[in-house]
Each structure stands twice: as structure tokens, then as C-alpha cells.
Amino acid sequence: MKQVSNGGASVRRRVFTVLAVVWLLAIWGQSLLPAAQSKGESGALLLFVQNLLPWMTEHLLRKAAHFTEYAVLGALCFCAFRFSRRFHFPAVLLCGLTAALTDETIQLFVPGRSGQISDVWLDLAGYLCAALVCLAIFRVKRKQSRRDQKAADQ
């Protein structure tokens, strides 16, 4: 497998960082919507999802959305940090916690919305699950690359 040069890693880090920031702004943008507008958007999506999953409720859909949007953020942040010179998994987690706390704090100031500590935990769970899956993928790829390199050297 071809080794990525420092320049390639730098470009990848920048791309993943921009994607993570854009995604985070989209998450926070949703948190800025008043409750009535947010409920309207959820209701429209719920009708579509219930065609596929008749047992889906608005509560489950909203919680699944929390988990999923933070899972995407976790994957993007992991990749951004992974291509940095010094990778520290705790730094990746700190970003997720900060994002989730900020998200719920934003909702405290939006009409009809409220910040929930349970949502912080749910957001962090989605973020952490995706970051751990990415970590596992990178480790498997690294082991495979080392095996391929050893085979090529023999």
C-alpha cells in the first residue's frame, strides 16, 4: 500500500476539519430552530419513516437523529485528528463533549426548546461509537498494510 506523504495527510486533515465544522454548524443550526418549526420538520420525516418502519414514534426518531448526527460528527472529527501529527483519542472525545454541551446549551435560549442532559449523553454515545468504529478500521488497515509490506519485502 502506498504511504501517504505529510502533504497528503495535511490535505486530508484540512478536508475532514472543514467537513466536521460544516456538519457541526448544521447541527447547531437545527438547535436554533424554534420548537414548532423543529417539530414540523420531524413530523414530515416521521411520516416518511413510518412507511418503512410503522412502529417508529416521534420520540424515537428524534433520539435516533441525535445519535446519528453525532455519529457522523464523531467519524469526521476522528478522521481530522487521525491525520494530524499527534493523534490523541482523548482530544477527539473532548471535541464531542464540547459540541454536545454547546448544542444543548443553545437550546436553552430557543423558544419552546430545552437542553437535556440525557441528550448530551446520547449525542456523546453516537459520537463515541463512530469514533471507535473509525479507530478499529484504521487499526485493521494499518495491520493489513504492515502484512502487505512484509510480504513484499520477502
Side-chain angles (χ1 to χ4, degrees):
M1 182 173 202
K2 187 177 178 182
Q3 292 290 332
V4 177
S5 68
N6 255 353
S10 177
V11 169
R12 288 181 183 179
R13 182 183 70 245
R14 287 185 184 128
V15 167
F16 280 112
T17 299
V18 168
L19 290 172
V21 168
V22 168
W23 188 255
L24 181 59
L25 292 174
I27 291 171
W28 288 347
Q30 286 295 312
S31 292
L32 286 168
L33 296 177
Q37 187 176 353
S38 178
K39 188 173 175 87
E41 288 183 9
S42 295
L45 182 59
L46 180 62
L47 292 175
F48 173 77
V49 172
Q50 282 179 330
N51 287 327
L52 304 170
L53 306 168
W55 48 265
M56 182 62 68
T57 65
E58 183 181 6
H59 179 77
L60 283 176
L61 181 67
R62 293 178 78 82
K63 297 308 172 185
H66 269 274
F67 187 91
T68 303
E69 66 189 10
Y70 274 86
V72 171
L73 183 63
L76 292 172
C77 287
F78 176 88
C79 291
F81 276 94
R82 180 67 184 95
F83 291 110
S84 65
R85 287 194 176 95
R86 292 188 177 146
F87 173 74
H88 297 289
F89 198 73
V92 176
L93 293 179
L94 183 60
C95 284
L97 179 61
T98 302
L101 287 169
T102 303
D103 186 23
E104 294 305 311
T105 302
I106 288 169
Q107 292 181 35
L108 294 174
F109 301 99
V110 177
R113 304 286 297 261
S114 63
Q116 303 290 321
I117 193 69
S118 59
D119 285 347
V120 172
W121 285 108
L122 186 59
D123 296 344
L124 198 55
Y127 185 95
L128 180 60
C129 283
L132 289 173
V133 167
C134 289
L135 179 63
I137 290 169
F138 272 94
R139 288 198 174 167
V140 167
K141 285 180 72 176
R142 184 173 57 198
K143 283 183 182 181
Q144 183 64 42
S145 177
R146 286 179 182 164
R147 267 190 245 134
D148 291 347
Q149 186 63 37
K150 281 183 183 180
D153 291 344
Q154 293 178 354

